Amino acid sequence: PPPAAATPAATPATSASELQQRGNQAYKLRNFDEAIHFFTLAIDTYADNSAPAQLFSNRSAALCGKERYADALSDADSAVRQQPQWAKGHSRRANALHALRRLDDARGAYEKALELDPQNQLVRNSLESLLKLTQEQPAPAAGAEAAGVPAAS
């Protein structure tokens, strides 16, 4: 008999683009572990952290989804280093800093994202949430949602 057809998940993805697409699909389904896996594989197809900023940004969002904020910040920093004039990298950085309750740093990152993309309402809303939080200064709460961190975009 002929060999059984491979399932899509079992088919090896060879290009960074295919891996990124799989990561994006997993992220949309809120399967953050799988998204992180595929984004990592895509990043690993490049030499010496030369992967595009978008891959680091996407993995940063997935890491935030897993509440791995320090790792998310590291990836966001990589995205910003790769593409300093890209608002999304600064937005990802701000989200991770916000979740880590590094509010002054988060404010600066949100402001930089808005400087680069003044029409971004999601970033504007996140900054307003952060400013409200800094005015109230409640006792630290666990988790990103308690810190007023928006969902990854």
Side-chain angles (χ1 to χ4, degrees), residues 2-46:
T7 62
T11 303
T14 55
S15 77
S17 176
E18 289 175 274
L19 293 165
Q20 181 177 359
Q21 289 173 4
R22 289 182 183 195
N24 289 342
Q25 187 59 37
Y27 182 85
K28 288 176 188 170
L29 297 172
R30 302 187 59 80
N31 185 341
F32 300 124
D33 287 321
E34 188 174 313
I36 292 164
H37 171 74
F38 283 119
F39 293 139
T40 299
L41 290 176
I43 289 166
D44 289 347
T45 66
Y46 295 86

Side-chain angles (χ1 to χ4, degrees), residues 56-135:
F56 288 106
S57 172
N58 289 0
R59 189 171 67 178
S60 176
L63 288 162
C64 273
K66 291 296 293 181
E67 298 185 11
R68 290 174 51 190
Y69 304 120
D71 292 333
L73 177 59
S74 177
D75 272 3
D77 285 341
S78 292
V80 168
R81 272 193 303 278
Q82 290 279 355
Q83 214 170 332
Q85 298 305 309
W86 186 43
K88 176 84 64 158
H90 292 280
S91 171
R92 298 284 196 231
R93 188 168 184 276
N95 289 344
L97 288 164
H98 195 161
L100 290 166
R101 299 190 65 78
R102 290 176 47 189
L103 303 183
D104 288 339
D105 292 335
R107 178 181 180 168
Y110 283 133
E111 289 172 346
K112 181 64 176 179
L114 282 173
E115 174 187 320
L116 295 168
D117 182 8
Q119 304 306 313
N120 189 320
Q121 194 58 48
L122 184 62
V123 173
R124 188 170 306 286
N125 293 346
S126 297
L127 177 58
E128 289 171 7
S129 169
L130 179 134
L131 293 174
K132 190 179 300 182
L133 183 66
T134 58
Q135 290 169 354

